[in-house]
Amino acid sequence: MSTIVVKHEDRTAELESGATAIQALKALEAVRGQIVAARVDGDEWDLDRPVPDGATIDPIYADTEDGRAILRHSVAHLMAQAVTDLFPGAKWAIGPPVENGFYYDFDVETPFTPDDLERIEARMSELMKERQAFVREELSKDEALELFADQPYKREVIERVAAGGAEEDAVAATTADAEVRGGEPVFTVYRNMRSEDDEAWVDLCRGPHIPSSDRVPAFKLLRTAGAYWRGREDQPMLQRIYGTAWESKKALDAHLEMLEEARKRDHRKLGRELELVHFPEELGSGLAIFLPKGALVRQQMEDWIRAEVIARGYEPVYTPHVAREDLWRISGHLENYGELMFPGMELDDGSAYRMKPMNCPFHILAYKSRTRSYRDLPLRLAELGTVYRFEKSGVVNGMLRARGFTQDDSHIFCRADQIVDEVVGCIEFARDLYQAFGLGEPSRVAVSTRPEGKSVGTDEQWERAEDALKRACEASGYDYVVDEGEGAFYGPKIDIHARDAIGREWQLTTIQVDFTLPDRFEMSYIGDDGEPHQPFMVHRALFGSIERFFAVMLESFNGAFPTWLAPLQVAVVPVAADFVDYGLEVAAALEERGIRVHVDDSDDTLGNKIRKAKTSKTPYALVVGSDEAEARTVAVNPYAGDRRRAVPLDDFVDEIATEVADRRTAVPAAP
RNA sequence: GCCGGAGUAGCUCAGUUGGUCAGAGCAGGCGAUUUGUAAUCGUCAGGUCAGGGGUUCGACUCCCCUCUCCGGCUCCA
């Protein structure tokens, strides 16, 4: 009997040849919790799969992200098996784990209903009780094709993987891959076995999986959705079921609880409750009204950016909301995005106008208002420009995806040698902005490179610009990823994303290099050589869309804005009508320092007045009664933090004035 | 745009198999109460049940169309 040696950390063990991963882990005393799979020389490995001689083995625990992904992938298989049982003839596409869960796509006669989800869940629970083993098996391409003879989507995946095309289709690659041995691709399938010779189901899959179906501690199916096969609009629409699975009932419940809490932070809900914004149906889809309180918050944002822009050497401009259609023809927007622009306005004299979807052509016209010299560069033109884009009906989402929104837009015209500095300046500007508004680290910074197919500019231009953007990211200290082929047709870009309450990522900041507009508009400047040259152009919007940023911020703060941003900063609450006069004095002292304050002189009970201040998330409630009036103090009840009594009025005024002047975004510790 | 779900007072919701079922709480008006830290009491007013067709003796309820919203997919200059 031959033996093998396996390693874990600084331990080794000698085992019989053919020993499985779990046997190895036990021999290595490397089992300290709920294990779903192993990592063998870096590769994820089924627990009952034999390990090679000399392997280094680590456990993958259920309560780690890798472990959960394996668990979820296995639950996706069980769901597909349940669907196959309940909906004969269903074709399965792919079912990978995703962040916080998994999904599986099916081609079925009729879409799933919410009731179907319950039936599927119930069936899955039965399958789990059957203690089905997940058994790995290797097949040749032909064997795999035969096994999935009646599963066209599986066959397509097999063909594409065999042709080496799976890399272009990252999602398919997560559900199947093929190792090439002796020039032939080897596919793996996982059979769900009720017993040694009783097969329940089989799926094409790279694995690994949990050993057995009863090792699913907690799962739940969440929702159904349509999804295009291979994510392409020209492909059939499949029916997707999303679910989630966790290492324990407790972890599942915590996740569901978190989702429930997140739904309460929805900016549309908070915006209505706090009377910040309004989306009346009469107005039109994707259009928002900022109510007075929302407008106050927005003004803080606008005031901040207006002041910063001037401090950083930009020059403000103002431009109209419409322009002749020809302008959009020259810019190329009509050609490239015509369907996403609001329809034209035909005038009696035969001319046509369009609402602006971007501000750049206007800023270019500003540039071209006179002959430019290299001494003018970089020229940074800035505007809070409101644009209108006819977003497709299914994508409109409150203020996160609107049809009318305002960009803190700027276009920087510069020489080639100035691009890196300018982009670095933009990123630093963005950093300061996230800092000021308390959003913390962005969820994602991405450099997007040249797209396949239509794009303008030379390879050398793209390479130089992409390099400039990456260097700027590095200089700024942001960790960034490269999104291959995700650039705009006219140039590469840096995007900064943040998450909303339910975890969706939204692009806020965008910084883009443009090769085409200077050319299309025949822009030039006179160089120090006396010859005309073409300037480079950087588009940049830091909030991105004021509306979107506002929404992300609103959700991030759960409606409780930092004092400097809060629409109402102080609610003065007299304990009885007799103390309204002193309350007014308190308010006057605060107003003198620019604090937004309101005296609650209603005849509500004290408790209710406090409650109104709390539910409106006003940063401070100041309770005033006889004690306070006599001693010229206030009782401070902050929205978050500890209550304090007998705070001298002058001290509180200084405190809050400083807090606002410093634009503090964190709740200060109680002194 | 595609797939699914939803739309009853300003808000959150209840309305059994089509037959006084158009209701409640909060918010709002008015009156009483004058309060020491998250809901005082009473009273009044509010809805073409998203809109438009249809089926029926009768439609919030069933069918069709449109609009809007929600969750996905696709898209996002």
Side-chain angles (χ1 to χ4, degrees), chain A residues 458-488:
Chain A
T458 64
D459 286 348
E460 196 214 336
Q461 276 180 317
W462 276 88
E463 218 162 281
R464 270 195 5 217
E466 286 168 8
D467 189 53
L469 293 178
K470 288 175 188 168
R471 274 193 287 159
C473 275
E474 278 151 23
S476 74
Y478 271 131
D479 284 334
Y480 66 96
V481 296
V482 176
D483 280 350
E484 299 291 347
E486 294 296 314

PDB file of all heavy atoms in Angstrom, chain A residues 458-488:
ATOM      1  N   THR A 458      -6.448  56.789 -31.506  1.00  0.00           N
ATOM      2  CA  THR A 458      -5.443  55.801 -31.876  1.00  0.00           C
ATOM      3  C   THR A 458      -5.076  54.951 -30.670  1.00  0.00           C
ATOM      4  O   THR A 458      -5.332  55.334 -29.527  1.00  0.00           O
ATOM      5  CB  THR A 458      -4.157  56.507 -32.355  1.00  0.00           C
ATOM      6  OG1 THR A 458      -3.622  57.249 -31.246  1.00  0.00           O
ATOM      7  CG2 THR A 458      -4.454  57.463 -33.500  1.00  0.00           C
ATOM      8  N   ASP A 459      -4.483  53.789 -30.948  1.00  0.00           N
ATOM      9  CA  ASP A 459      -4.034  52.918 -29.864  1.00  0.00           C
ATOM     10  C   ASP A 459      -3.116  53.670 -28.924  1.00  0.00           C
ATOM     11  O   ASP A 459      -3.206  53.536 -27.700  1.00  0.00           O
ATOM     12  CB  ASP A 459      -3.271  51.708 -30.436  1.00  0.00           C
ATOM     13  CG  ASP A 459      -4.224  50.714 -31.076  1.00  0.00           C
ATOM     14  OD1 ASP A 459      -5.440  50.864 -30.859  1.00  0.00           O
ATOM     15  OD2 ASP A 459      -3.753  49.823 -31.783  1.00  0.00           O
ATOM     16  N   GLU A 460      -2.240  54.468 -29.522  1.00  0.00           N
ATOM     17  CA  GLU A 460      -1.262  55.188 -28.710  1.00  0.00           C
ATOM     18  C   GLU A 460      -1.958  56.197 -27.796  1.00  0.00           C
ATOM     19  O   GLU A 460      -1.614  56.325 -26.627  1.00  0.00           O
ATOM     20  CB  GLU A 460      -0.268  55.906 -29.630  1.00  0.00           C
ATOM     21  CG  GLU A 460       0.990  56.342 -28.896  1.00  0.00           C
ATOM     22  CD  GLU A 460       1.532  57.642 -29.437  1.00  0.00           C
ATOM     23  OE1 GLU A 460       1.246  57.969 -30.603  1.00  0.00           O
ATOM     24  OE2 GLU A 460       2.217  58.335 -28.673  1.00  0.00           O
ATOM     25  N   GLN A 461      -2.959  56.890 -28.329  1.00  0.00           N
ATOM     26  CA  GLN A 461      -3.709  57.845 -27.513  1.00  0.00           C
ATOM     27  C   GLN A 461      -4.359  57.147 -26.324  1.00  0.00           C
ATOM     28  O   GLN A 461      -4.300  57.609 -25.190  1.00  0.00           O
ATOM     29  CB  GLN A 461      -4.806  58.508 -28.353  1.00  0.00           C
ATOM     30  CG  GLN A 461      -4.340  59.683 -29.172  1.00  0.00           C
ATOM     31  CD  GLN A 461      -5.481  60.269 -29.972  1.00  0.00           C
ATOM     32  OE1 GLN A 461      -6.271  59.534 -30.562  1.00  0.00           O
ATOM     33  NE2 GLN A 461      -5.569  61.580 -29.989  1.00  0.00           N
ATOM     34  N   TRP A 462      -5.009  56.015 -26.623  1.00  0.00           N
ATOM     35  CA  TRP A 462      -5.700  55.273 -25.558  1.00  0.00           C
ATOM     36  C   TRP A 462      -4.713  54.816 -24.504  1.00  0.00           C
ATOM     37  O   TRP A 462      -4.934  54.977 -23.308  1.00  0.00           O
ATOM     38  CB  TRP A 462      -6.444  54.066 -26.141  1.00  0.00           C
ATOM     39  CG  TRP A 462      -7.792  54.426 -26.672  1.00  0.00           C
ATOM     40  CD1 TRP A 462      -8.073  54.866 -27.932  1.00  0.00           C
ATOM     41  CD2 TRP A 462      -9.031  54.412 -25.956  1.00  0.00           C
ATOM     42  NE1 TRP A 462      -9.427  55.122 -28.040  1.00  0.00           N
ATOM     43  CE2 TRP A 462     -10.037  54.846 -26.852  1.00  0.00           C
ATOM     44  CE3 TRP A 462      -9.396  54.080 -24.665  1.00  0.00           C
ATOM     45  CZ2 TRP A 462     -11.373  54.956 -26.483  1.00  0.00           C
ATOM     46  CZ3 TRP A 462     -10.731  54.175 -24.291  1.00  0.00           C
ATOM     47  CH2 TRP A 462     -11.705  54.616 -25.192  1.00  0.00           C
ATOM     48  N   GLU A 463      -3.617  54.253 -24.976  1.00  0.00           N
ATOM     49  CA  GLU A 463      -2.633  53.726 -24.043  1.00  0.00           C
ATOM     50  C   GLU A 463      -2.126  54.827 -23.124  1.00  0.00           C
ATOM     51  O   GLU A 463      -2.032  54.646 -21.912  1.00  0.00           O
ATOM     52  CB  GLU A 463      -1.468  53.154 -24.849  1.00  0.00           C
ATOM     53  CG  GLU A 463      -0.890  51.900 -24.265  1.00  0.00           C
ATOM     54  CD  GLU A 463      -0.081  51.166 -25.320  1.00  0.00           C
ATOM     55  OE1 GLU A 463      -0.676  50.475 -26.186  1.00  0.00           O
ATOM     56  OE2 GLU A 463       1.146  51.332 -25.290  1.00  0.00           O
ATOM     57  N   ARG A 464      -1.811  55.963 -23.722  1.00  0.00           N
ATOM     58  CA  ARG A 464      -1.283  57.073 -22.925  1.00  0.00           C
ATOM     59  C   ARG A 464      -2.300  57.564 -21.915  1.00  0.00           C
ATOM     60  O   ARG A 464      -1.972  57.845 -20.766  1.00  0.00           O
ATOM     61  CB  ARG A 464      -0.852  58.216 -23.853  1.00  0.00           C
ATOM     62  CG  ARG A 464       0.572  58.052 -24.245  1.00  0.00           C
ATOM     63  CD  ARG A 464       1.248  59.256 -24.855  1.00  0.00           C
ATOM     64  NE  ARG A 464       0.503  60.501 -24.911  1.00  0.00           N
ATOM     65  CZ  ARG A 464       0.589  61.348 -25.928  1.00  0.00           C
ATOM     66  NH1 ARG A 464       1.344  61.058 -26.965  1.00  0.00           N
ATOM     67  NH2 ARG A 464      -0.076  62.469 -25.909  1.00  0.00           N
ATOM     68  N   ALA A 465      -3.554  57.665 -22.375  1.00  0.00           N
ATOM     69  CA  ALA A 465      -4.584  58.190 -21.481  1.00  0.00           C
ATOM     70  C   ALA A 465      -4.892  57.197 -20.362  1.00  0.00           C
ATOM     71  O   ALA A 465      -5.038  57.578 -19.200  1.00  0.00           O
ATOM     72  CB  ALA A 465      -5.843  58.507 -22.266  1.00  0.00           C
ATOM     73  N   GLU A 466      -4.984  55.905 -20.723  1.00  0.00           N
ATOM     74  CA  GLU A 466      -5.255  54.889 -19.696  1.00  0.00           C
ATOM     75  C   GLU A 466      -4.136  54.890 -18.664  1.00  0.00           C
ATOM     76  O   GLU A 466      -4.372  54.795 -17.454  1.00  0.00           O
ATOM     77  CB  GLU A 466      -5.373  53.502 -20.338  1.00  0.00           C
ATOM     78  CG  GLU A 466      -6.684  53.333 -21.101  1.00  0.00           C
ATOM     79  CD  GLU A 466      -6.713  52.090 -21.983  1.00  0.00           C
ATOM     80  OE1 GLU A 466      -5.775  51.266 -21.894  1.00  0.00           O
ATOM     81  OE2 GLU A 466      -7.673  51.952 -22.768  1.00  0.00           O
ATOM     82  N   ASP A 467      -2.940  55.026 -19.161  1.00  0.00           N
ATOM     83  CA  ASP A 467      -1.787  55.063 -18.272  1.00  0.00           C
ATOM     84  C   ASP A 467      -1.863  56.279 -17.357  1.00  0.00           C
ATOM     85  O   ASP A 467      -1.596  56.189 -16.161  1.00  0.00           O
ATOM     86  CB  ASP A 467      -0.518  55.108 -19.132  1.00  0.00           C
ATOM     87  CG  ASP A 467       0.719  54.936 -18.279  1.00  0.00           C
ATOM     88  OD1 ASP A 467       0.748  53.946 -17.530  1.00  0.00           O
ATOM     89  OD2 ASP A 467       1.613  55.794 -18.352  1.00  0.00           O
ATOM     90  N   ALA A 468      -2.262  57.397 -17.916  1.00  0.00           N
ATOM     91  CA  ALA A 468      -2.377  58.619 -17.116  1.00  0.00           C
ATOM     92  C   ALA A 468      -3.400  58.435 -16.000  1.00  0.00           C
ATOM     93  O   ALA A 468      -3.182  58.835 -14.861  1.00  0.00           O
ATOM     94  CB  ALA A 468      -2.773  59.794 -18.007  1.00  0.00           C
ATOM     95  N   LEU A 469      -4.526  57.807 -16.340  1.00  0.00           N
ATOM     96  CA  LEU A 469      -5.572  57.612 -15.346  1.00  0.00           C
ATOM     97  C   LEU A 469      -5.096  56.681 -14.227  1.00  0.00           C
ATOM     98  O   LEU A 469      -5.329  56.931 -13.046  1.00  0.00           O
ATOM     99  CB  LEU A 469      -6.827  57.041 -15.999  1.00  0.00           C
ATOM    100  CG  LEU A 469      -7.554  57.976 -16.976  1.00  0.00           C
ATOM    101  CD1 LEU A 469      -8.758  57.276 -17.598  1.00  0.00           C
ATOM    102  CD2 LEU A 469      -8.005  59.253 -16.291  1.00  0.00           C
ATOM    103  N   LYS A 470      -4.416  55.613 -14.616  1.00  0.00           N
ATOM    104  CA  LYS A 470      -3.921  54.676 -13.606  1.00  0.00           C
ATOM    105  C   LYS A 470      -2.897  55.345 -12.710  1.00  0.00           C
ATOM    106  O   LYS A 470      -2.920  55.171 -11.484  1.00  0.00           O
ATOM    107  CB  LYS A 470      -3.295  53.448 -14.280  1.00  0.00           C
ATOM    108  CG  LYS A 470      -4.336  52.527 -14.915  1.00  0.00           C
ATOM    109  CD  LYS A 470      -3.675  51.389 -15.691  1.00  0.00           C
ATOM    110  CE  LYS A 470      -4.711  50.607 -16.480  1.00  0.00           C
ATOM    111  NZ  LYS A 470      -4.095  49.684 -17.445  1.00  0.00           N
ATOM    112  N   ARG A 471      -2.021  56.116 -13.321  1.00  0.00           N
ATOM    113  CA  ARG A 471      -1.009  56.797 -12.511  1.00  0.00           C
ATOM    114  C   ARG A 471      -1.662  57.787 -11.557  1.00  0.00           C
ATOM    115  O   ARG A 471      -1.227  57.945 -10.418  1.00  0.00           O
ATOM    116  CB  ARG A 471       0.005  57.508 -13.417  1.00  0.00           C
ATOM    117  CG  ARG A 471       1.132  56.581 -13.842  1.00  0.00           C
ATOM    118  CD  ARG A 471       2.259  57.361 -14.457  1.00  0.00           C
ATOM    119  NE  ARG A 471       1.890  57.845 -15.783  1.00  0.00           N
ATOM    120  CZ  ARG A 471       2.487  58.869 -16.402  1.00  0.00           C
ATOM    121  NH1 ARG A 471       3.450  59.528 -15.805  1.00  0.00           N
ATOM    122  NH2 ARG A 471       2.111  59.228 -17.602  1.00  0.00           N
ATOM    123  N   ALA A 472      -2.716  58.439 -12.031  1.00  0.00           N
ATOM    124  CA  ALA A 472      -3.423  59.403 -11.174  1.00  0.00           C
ATOM    125  C   ALA A 472      -4.066  58.682  -9.992  1.00  0.00           C
ATOM    126  O   ALA A 472      -4.024  59.163  -8.859  1.00  0.00           O
ATOM    127  CB  ALA A 472      -4.478  60.151 -11.985  1.00  0.00           C
ATOM    128  N   CYS A 473      -4.650  57.507 -10.252  1.00  0.00           N
ATOM    129  CA  CYS A 473      -5.255  56.718  -9.169  1.00  0.00           C
ATOM    130  C   CYS A 473      -4.200  56.348  -8.145  1.00  0.00           C
ATOM    131  O   CYS A 473      -4.408  56.453  -6.934  1.00  0.00           O
ATOM    132  CB  CYS A 473      -5.870  55.427  -9.711  1.00  0.00           C
ATOM    133  SG  CYS A 473      -7.532  55.639 -10.312  1.00  0.00           S
ATOM    134  N   GLU A 474      -3.059  55.884  -8.665  1.00  0.00           N
ATOM    135  CA  GLU A 474      -1.986  55.470  -7.763  1.00  0.00           C
ATOM    136  C   GLU A 474      -1.516  56.649  -6.923  1.00  0.00           C
ATOM    137  O   GLU A 474      -1.337  56.530  -5.711  1.00  0.00           O
ATOM    138  CB  GLU A 474      -0.823  54.868  -8.563  1.00  0.00           C
ATOM    139  CG  GLU A 474      -1.075  53.412  -8.905  1.00  0.00           C
ATOM    140  CD  GLU A 474      -0.391  52.980 -10.199  1.00  0.00           C
ATOM    141  OE1 GLU A 474       0.597  53.622 -10.614  1.00  0.00           O
ATOM    142  OE2 GLU A 474      -0.870  51.991 -10.798  1.00  0.00           O
ATOM    143  N   ALA A 475      -1.374  57.791  -7.578  1.00  0.00           N
ATOM    144  CA  ALA A 475      -0.915  58.983  -6.864  1.00  0.00           C
ATOM    145  C   ALA A 475      -1.887  59.366  -5.755  1.00  0.00           C
ATOM    146  O   ALA A 475      -1.506  59.868  -4.713  1.00  0.00           O
ATOM    147  CB  ALA A 475      -0.736  60.142  -7.836  1.00  0.00           C
ATOM    148  N   SER A 476      -3.156  59.106  -5.981  1.00  0.00           N
ATOM    149  CA  SER A 476      -4.173  59.511  -5.019  1.00  0.00           C
ATOM    150  C   SER A 476      -4.323  58.510  -3.879  1.00  0.00           C
ATOM    151  O   SER A 476      -4.973  58.781  -2.884  1.00  0.00           O
ATOM    152  CB  SER A 476      -5.524  59.641  -5.705  1.00  0.00           C
ATOM    153  OG  SER A 476      -6.024  58.356  -5.987  1.00  0.00           O
ATOM    154  N   GLY A 477      -3.730  57.326  -4.054  1.00  0.00           N
ATOM    155  CA  GLY A 477      -3.817  56.331  -3.009  1.00  0.00           C
ATOM    156  C   GLY A 477      -5.076  55.485  -3.053  1.00  0.00           C
ATOM    157  O   GLY A 477      -5.308  54.668  -2.163  1.00  0.00           O
ATOM    158  N   TYR A 478      -5.891  55.680  -4.062  1.00  0.00           N
ATOM    159  CA  TYR A 478      -7.086  54.846  -4.167  1.00  0.00           C
ATOM    160  C   TYR A 478      -6.710  53.459  -4.693  1.00  0.00           C
ATOM    161  O   TYR A 478      -5.922  53.332  -5.628  1.00  0.00           O
ATOM    162  CB  TYR A 478      -8.088  55.451  -5.159  1.00  0.00           C
ATOM    163  CG  TYR A 478      -9.075  56.418  -4.551  1.00  0.00           C
ATOM    164  CD1 TYR A 478      -9.296  57.670  -5.125  1.00  0.00           C
ATOM    165  CD2 TYR A 478      -9.818  56.068  -3.423  1.00  0.00           C
ATOM    166  CE1 TYR A 478     -10.203  58.559  -4.590  1.00  0.00           C
ATOM    167  CE2 TYR A 478     -10.732  56.954  -2.875  1.00  0.00           C
ATOM    168  CZ  TYR A 478     -10.926  58.198  -3.459  1.00  0.00           C
ATOM    169  OH  TYR A 478     -11.836  59.070  -2.930  1.00  0.00           O
ATOM    170  N   ASP A 479      -7.278  52.426  -4.096  1.00  0.00           N
ATOM    171  CA  ASP A 479      -7.179  51.095  -4.696  1.00  0.00           C
ATOM    172  C   ASP A 479      -8.165  51.064  -5.827  1.00  0.00           C
ATOM    173  O   ASP A 479      -9.333  51.398  -5.641  1.00  0.00           O
ATOM    174  CB  ASP A 479      -7.588  50.023  -3.680  1.00  0.00           C
ATOM    175  CG  ASP A 479      -6.494  49.798  -2.655  1.00  0.00           C
ATOM    176  OD1 ASP A 479      -5.327  50.059  -2.996  1.00  0.00           O
ATOM    177  OD2 ASP A 479      -6.825  49.391  -1.531  1.00  0.00           O
ATOM    178  N   TYR A 480      -7.712  50.675  -7.009  1.00  0.00           N
ATOM    179  CA  TYR A 480      -8.640  50.689  -8.133  1.00  0.00           C
ATOM    180  C   TYR A 480      -8.601  49.355  -8.861  1.00  0.00           C
ATOM    181  O   TYR A 480      -7.660  48.580  -8.726  1.00  0.00           O
ATOM    182  CB  TYR A 480      -8.292  51.822  -9.107  1.00  0.00           C
ATOM    183  CG  TYR A 480      -6.963  51.648  -9.805  1.00  0.00           C
ATOM    184  CD1 TYR A 480      -6.894  51.076 -11.069  1.00  0.00           C
ATOM    185  CD2 TYR A 480      -5.777  52.039  -9.187  1.00  0.00           C
ATOM    186  CE1 TYR A 480      -5.682  50.910 -11.711  1.00  0.00           C
ATOM    187  CE2 TYR A 480      -4.560  51.867  -9.814  1.00  0.00           C
ATOM    188  CZ  TYR A 480      -4.518  51.301 -11.078  1.00  0.00           C
ATOM    189  OH  TYR A 480      -3.317  51.120 -11.697  1.00  0.00           O
ATOM    190  N   VAL A 481      -9.658  49.089  -9.589  1.00  0.00           N
ATOM    191  CA  VAL A 481      -9.684  47.914 -10.448  1.00  0.00           C
ATOM    192  C   VAL A 481      -9.727  48.409 -11.886  1.00  0.00           C
ATOM    193  O   VAL A 481     -10.084  49.562 -12.146  1.00  0.00           O
ATOM    194  CB  VAL A 481     -10.920  47.030 -10.173  1.00  0.00           C
ATOM    195  CG1 VAL A 481     -10.872  46.480  -8.759  1.00  0.00           C
ATOM    196  CG2 VAL A 481     -12.206  47.799 -10.395  1.00  0.00           C
ATOM    197  N   VAL A 482      -9.352  47.538 -12.804  1.00  0.00           N
ATOM    198  CA  VAL A 482      -9.404  47.906 -14.213  1.00  0.00           C
ATOM    199  C   VAL A 482     -10.601  47.204 -14.840  1.00  0.00           C
ATOM    200  O   VAL A 482     -10.719  45.986 -14.768  1.00  0.00           O
ATOM    201  CB  VAL A 482      -8.107  47.512 -14.940  1.00  0.00           C
ATOM    202  CG1 VAL A 482      -8.216  47.821 -16.427  1.00  0.00           C
ATOM    203  CG2 VAL A 482      -6.921  48.247 -14.316  1.00  0.00           C
ATOM    204  N   ASP A 483     -11.514  47.981 -15.372  1.00  0.00           N
ATOM    205  CA  ASP A 483     -12.645  47.409 -16.096  1.00  0.00           C
ATOM    206  C   ASP A 483     -12.296  47.398 -17.581  1.00  0.00           C
ATOM    207  O   ASP A 483     -12.418  48.410 -18.264  1.00  0.00           O
ATOM    208  CB  ASP A 483     -13.911  48.255 -15.874  1.00  0.00           C
ATOM    209  CG  ASP A 483     -14.579  47.943 -14.539  1.00  0.00           C
ATOM    210  OD1 ASP A 483     -14.166  46.964 -13.903  1.00  0.00           O
ATOM    211  OD2 ASP A 483     -15.509  48.669 -14.167  1.00  0.00           O
ATOM    212  N   GLU A 484     -11.844  46.220 -18.036  1.00  0.00           N
ATOM    213  CA  GLU A 484     -11.410  46.121 -19.426  1.00  0.00           C
ATOM    214  C   GLU A 484     -12.582  46.381 -20.371  1.00  0.00           C
ATOM    215  O   GLU A 484     -13.654  45.800 -20.226  1.00  0.00           O
ATOM    216  CB  GLU A 484     -10.824  44.730 -19.707  1.00  0.00           C
ATOM    217  CG  GLU A 484      -9.597  44.375 -18.879  1.00  0.00           C
ATOM    218  CD  GLU A 484      -8.366  45.204 -19.264  1.00  0.00           C
ATOM    219  OE1 GLU A 484      -8.395  45.865 -20.330  1.00  0.00           O
ATOM    220  OE2 GLU A 484      -7.389  45.188 -18.481  1.00  0.00           O
ATOM    221  N   GLY A 485     -12.349  47.263 -21.313  1.00  0.00           N
ATOM    222  CA  GLY A 485     -13.349  47.479 -22.365  1.00  0.00           C
ATOM    223  C   GLY A 485     -14.577  48.236 -21.931  1.00  0.00           C
ATOM    224  O   GLY A 485     -15.562  48.307 -22.656  1.00  0.00           O
ATOM    225  N   GLU A 486     -14.530  48.841 -20.719  1.00  0.00           N
ATOM    226  CA  GLU A 486     -15.722  49.525 -20.227  1.00  0.00           C
ATOM    227  C   GLU A 486     -15.666  51.037 -20.437  1.00  0.00           C
ATOM    228  O   GLU A 486     -16.532  51.768 -19.967  1.00  0.00           O
ATOM    229  CB  GLU A 486     -15.925  49.230 -18.735  1.00  0.00           C
ATOM    230  CG  GLU A 486     -16.247  47.769 -18.432  1.00  0.00           C
ATOM    231  CD  GLU A 486     -17.564  47.326 -19.037  1.00  0.00           C
ATOM    232  OE1 GLU A 486     -18.559  48.058 -18.920  1.00  0.00           O
ATOM    233  OE2 GLU A 486     -17.590  46.248 -19.661  1.00  0.00           O
ATOM    234  N   GLY A 487     -14.637  51.506 -21.148  1.00  0.00           N
ATOM    235  CA  GLY A 487     -14.520  52.943 -21.377  1.00  0.00           C
ATOM    236  C   GLY A 487     -15.601  53.458 -22.302  1.00  0.00           C
ATOM    237  O   GLY A 487     -16.313  52.687 -22.952  1.00  0.00           O
ATOM    238  N   ALA A 488     -15.738  54.789 -22.355  1.00  0.00           N
ATOM    239  CA  ALA A 488     -16.667  55.397 -23.312  1.00  0.00           C
ATOM    240  C   ALA A 488     -16.043  55.294 -24.703  1.00  0.00           C
ATOM    241  O   ALA A 488     -14.846  55.052 -24.826  1.00  0.00           O
ATOM    242  CB  ALA A 488     -16.926  56.841 -22.945  1.00  0.00           C
TER     243      ALA A 488
END
